[in-house]
Amino acid sequence: MPGETKERVLAVATKLGYQPNKIARGLITGRTRTIGVIAGDISSPFYAAVLRGISDVVEGHGLGMLITNSDETLDREVAATKLLRENQVDGLIVSPCDVADSPHLREAVKAGMPMALIDRKVRGLLVDTVAVENVQSSRDAVRRLLMAGHRRVGIIAELATDETRLKDFLAAAKNQPPEGLQLLSTSWQRLAGYLEAHRAFGLEVDPNLILAVNGHSALAAQNAALVALTKNPRPTALFCADGLMSVGTMATISAKGLQVPSDLSMICFDDLDWMTFVGPGIDAIAQPRRRLGRAAARLLLARIGEAQGAPRDIRLSPRMIERGSLRSIR
Amino acid sequence: MPGETKERVLAVATKLGYQPNKIARGLITGRTRTIGVIAGDISSPFYAAVLRGISDVVEGHGLGMLITNSDETLDREVAATKLLRENQVDGLIVSPCDVADSPHLREAVKAGMPMALIDRKVRGLLVDTVAVENVQSSRDAVRRLLMAGHRRVGIIAELATDETRLKDFLAAAKNQPPEGLQLLSTSWQRLAGYLEAHRAFGLEVDPNLILAVNGHSALAAQNAALVALTKNPRPTALFCADGLMSVGTMATISAKGLQVPSDLSMICFDDLDWMTFVGPGIDAIAQPRRRLGRAAARLLLARIGEAQGAPRDIRLSPRMIERGSLRSIR
DNA sequence: GTGAAAGCGCTAACAC
DNA sequence: GTGTTAGCGCTTTCAC
């Protein structure tokens, strides 16, 4: 009567609504199928989007995600590291609050904890690090506008510093991507993406359509947008290099009685992680922050060795009934 | 030689960077000191803020937080419930995707899982539920403006439906809070808060300053704000009933060449969970979403019985050395 | 295939 | 106090 026992066990299991205990499994396998994340502040648009990216791939693999906030303070980051290690997470994604040498992280790595860093490197920590792909994401965004047929695309970007620098930059970028992009501030990187998209289409860039806002405020952006929209011929689309630029630009668009997307298209590289798009023929969004999170998670899982895949079902035994362990919640 | 053994154990423990294994502890105590959260989408401003509130109190108690996204779909909510139960979380905070009878949640509760619901009740589930305190939060916000000395405070709110309803509502709210507020849509609840604040100060409300936008769009709000700002005398402060209203209002303010807070004060009940404040003498923010998360977490922890407090330190024994179990990561 | 036994790192209960 | 023991629910190994 071999099959009979099996059925009896199965019957009891389903009747009791049995759910396997991953905690117990983790004790013996040494893997919890849970990763830990130390974010600065979940409620900030940046981290919210990054976390979503992480959770996309983590949940996709059937793993869990333990999240903590550091509020960008070292104390809380140390406490979070401790909490997560005690919880035996299989890996750690950290958005470090400081680039200085961090003993708590170094020690975790030394102890064999797989780790990926977000947005910042930490001195002396040789682990995978991901940061926003400003150039590529901007290039993708502007490419969408060009593919939709736009030929006069304005860019509203901070681009602090003097006129000459902009001229030099445009000259340097005329035929190939300028060097040392990683060292530039974000708005310059995003301008580089804008230029690259045009180059890929074999299009000349009209310098008049490159609006250096010179100041990181919505009001300054508003003025820049006003200048852009009075050019002749008027740009048919705008690319805003960040969320604040976009707010100011929208104000101008409204004030002029224009409507997006009927009168002009607009794409914004924004902190909410929507390439707030807009315009006919433009159907996708880039989500650079979310992609950043996904990249970090993928790197981490690769290092953890997710190749092993999902664990197999647990093997039920008659003794589990005798010992009354077929229950999920105690 | 009793003390000697203890020291030897302690020495080995610190040398190896020993960290207790909460997973093993959880196996025997039956409590993991981790709660599970099922959010709709972490990256939305609403959930991001709510989650931060939850994490505030959860981390404050030294617990962990396992987060999942349901994307407001039943399938994913069911899967998330399963994942979290398998991980033996001590409690569940769910933002249910559907008010319809949900067997997976009902079953979890039946199995003894402590649960708190966010923003929506589920039919047949008798568990604590928290929702945004629209009336109270708006009242607080407007009170701040009144306390700062403002006597002409405009409100920009959707308030869909006809003129008569607004008149009736104002009449009904003249001397006491109108009844059945819970059944009203959010913008009406926020108007009620606005009125309550005025009542508490013994101030008459000028109906001219109540702008019913009639349409949930930034453009409609922009027009309403234009009307508000041309009233004579001009309002010295504005209360925007939601984030979109605020975007439209800001556009008008910019277009008129006004500046916040030098020319007028403004508070916005916004989705980013900042009562975006603004103006001299106004120094605090209300954070209704974050407070919602905190409330949910506190209710849940009370139900879990966090009164028991943090567990004591683990007791180290010589056998742990013999068996080589004094290590944190394997 | 099916059953039994050992043991993951800890706690609780009981010895001394 | 300090030391030992059993056992939480599972996986692994080995026996049948």
Side-chain angles (χ1 to χ4, degrees), chain A residues 35 37 39 42 44-60 65 67 93 118 272-274 287-298, chain B residues 39-45 47-48 51 67-73 76:
Chain A
I35 69 153
V37 182
I42 321 182
S44 90
F46 174 78
Y47 286 112
V50 170
L51 285 169
R52 185 42 144 99
I54 296 174
S55 98
D56 282 348
V57 353
V58 165
E59 287 183 32
M65 190 173 64
I67 296 183
I93 296 183
I118 284 187
L272 292 177
D273 198 32
W274 316 321
Q287 304 179 314
R289 323 287 185 181
R290 193 187 280 208
R291 272 159 54 180
L292 188 156
R294 281 204 272 256
R298 271 194 286 259
Chain B
D41 173 10
I42 320 181
S43 64
S44 91
Y47 286 112
L51 285 169
I67 296 184
T68 56
N69 297 284
S70 72
D71 281 330
E72 313 283 1
T73 65
R76 300 203 55 191

Side-chain angles (χ1 to χ4, degrees), chain B:
Chain B
M1 50 209 81
E4 193 205 326
T5 336
K6 180 173 180 179
E7 274 175 31
R8 195 166 52 92
V9 177
L10 243 37
V12 177
T14 54
K15 200 184 74 188
L16 266 52
Y18 167 76
Q19 305 213 192
N21 183 335
K22 283 203 178 175
I23 251 58
R25 161 176 281 179
L27 189 55
I28 173 90
T29 59
R31 323 179 78 238
T32 50
R33 296 186 63 77
T34 298
I35 70 155
V37 183
I38 305 179
D41 173 10
I42 320 181
S43 64
S44 91
F46 174 79
Y47 286 112
V50 169
L51 285 169
R52 183 44 143 99
I54 296 174
S55 97
D56 281 349
V57 352
V58 165
E59 288 183 31
H61 284 253
L63 305 211
M65 190 172 63
L66 221 30
I67 296 184
T68 56
N69 297 284
S70 72
D71 281 330
E72 313 283 1
T73 65
L74 192 60
D75 280 1
R76 300 203 55 191
E77 186 178 301
V78 171
T81 310
K82 181 163 175 290
L83 177 81
L84 295 174
R85 288 186 67 186
E86 286 179 353
N87 276 288
Q88 311 297 121
V89 294
D90 290 343
L92 225 42
I93 296 184
V94 183
S95 163
C97 67
D98 198 345
V99 296
D101 173 62
S102 305
H104 57 293
L105 297 181
R106 200 154 27 80
E107 199 189 290
V109 170
K110 208 177 71 188
M113 175 70 78
M115 189 178 293
L117 259 31
I118 284 187
D119 224 39
R120 251 187 287 237
K121 282 187 196 291
V122 170
R123 204 153 44 230
L125 251 202
L126 283 173
V127 302
D128 295 328
T129 306
V130 297
V132 171
E133 296 178 336
N134 286 307
V135 180
Q136 293 92 320
S137 298
S138 302
R139 189 196 53 206
D140 291 355
V142 175
R143 180 159 54 196
R144 280 205 183 87
L145 293 170
L146 298 177
M147 290 205 308
H150 292 282
R151 284 302 172 264
R152 286 185 66 71
V153 178
I155 173 173
I156 315 280
E158 187 176 358
L159 302 175
T161 63
D162 52 310
E163 281 281 309
T164 15
R165 180 172 172 201
L166 181 52
K167 278 210 188 87
D168 293 349
F169 189 83
L170 292 180
K174 192 154 187 78
N175 298 311
Q176 82 278 337
E179 286 168 32
L181 278 176
Q182 290 306 323
L183 301 171
L184 296 176
S185 66
T186 53
S187 69
W188 288 94
Q189 291 182 0
R190 293 173 192 179
L191 171 61
Y194 167 94
L195 298 174
E196 241 181 88
H198 281 80
R199 194 162 355 92
F201 270 72
L203 296 171
E204 283 284 321
V205 168
D206 178 355
N208 282 314
L209 296 185
I210 299 176
L211 281 293
V213 168
N214 243 322
H216 197 246
S217 79
L219 208 65
Q222 198 179 341
N223 293 329
L226 196 60
V227 174
L229 291 177
T230 46
K231 297 288 181 193
N232 195 344
R234 207 193 73 194
T236 60
L238 291 179
F239 171 62
C240 296
D242 72 37
L244 215 48
M245 299 297 108
S246 148
V247 169
T249 302
M250 282 305 293
T252 294
I253 289 175
S254 295
K256 285 185 75 91
L258 297 176
Q259 295 250 3
V260 171
S262 55
D263 299 317
L264 83 170
S265 291
M266 178 165 152
I267 290 192
C268 163
F269 199 132
D270 97 9
D271 293 329
L272 293 177
D273 197 33
W274 316 320
M275 295 286 281
T276 320
F277 82 103
V278 193
I282 302 173
D283 53 351
I285 54 177
Q287 305 178 313
R289 323 289 185 180
R290 191 186 282 208
R291 273 159 52 179
L292 188 157
R294 280 204 273 256
R298 270 195 287 259
L299 283 169
L300 185 70
L301 292 194
R303 204 159 280 275
I304 289 176
E306 250 306 292
Q308 298 174 24
R312 55 165 188 255
D313 284 351
I314 74 151
R315 192 175 144 203
L316 299 166
S317 80
R319 287 200 58 200
M320 294 173 75
I321 297 186
E322 293 164 27
R323 296 167 58 175
S325 58
L326 277 192
R327 62 193 160 186
S328 50
I329 310 269
R330 316 194 309 163

Side-chain angles (χ1 to χ4, degrees), chain A residues 66-203:
Chain A
L66 221 32
I67 296 183
T68 57
N69 297 283
S70 72
D71 281 329
E72 314 282 1
T73 65
L74 192 61
D75 280 1
R76 300 202 56 191
E77 186 179 301
V78 171
T81 310
K82 181 164 176 287
L83 178 81
L84 296 173
R85 287 187 67 186
E86 286 179 354
N87 277 286
Q88 311 297 123
V89 293
D90 290 343
L92 224 41
I93 296 183
V94 183
S95 163
C97 66
D98 198 345
V99 296
D101 173 61
S102 304
H104 57 295
L105 297 181
R106 200 154 26 81
E107 199 189 291
V109 170
K110 208 177 69 187
M113 175 70 79
M115 189 179 293
L117 258 31
I118 284 187
D119 225 39
R120 253 188 286 238
K121 282 189 198 288
V122 170
R123 204 152 46 229
L125 252 201
L126 283 173
V127 302
D128 295 328
T129 306
V130 297
V132 172
E133 296 177 335
N134 286 306
V135 180
Q136 294 92 320
S137 298
S138 302
R139 187 195 55 207
D140 290 356
V142 174
R143 179 160 55 196
R144 281 206 183 85
L145 292 170
L146 298 177
M147 289 204 309
H150 292 281
R151 283 303 172 264
R152 286 184 68 72
V153 178
I155 174 172
I156 316 281
E158 188 176 358
L159 302 174
T161 63
D162 52 310
E163 282 281 309
T164 15
R165 179 170 174 202
L166 182 52
K167 278 210 188 87
D168 294 347
F169 190 83
L170 292 179
K174 193 153 187 78
N175 298 313
Q176 82 277 336
E179 286 168 32
L181 278 175
Q182 290 306 323
L183 300 171
L184 297 176
S185 65
T186 53
S187 69
W188 288 94
Q189 291 182 1
R190 292 173 193 179
L191 171 61
Y194 168 94
L195 298 174
E196 240 181 89
H198 282 81
R199 195 166 350 95
F201 270 72
L203 296 171

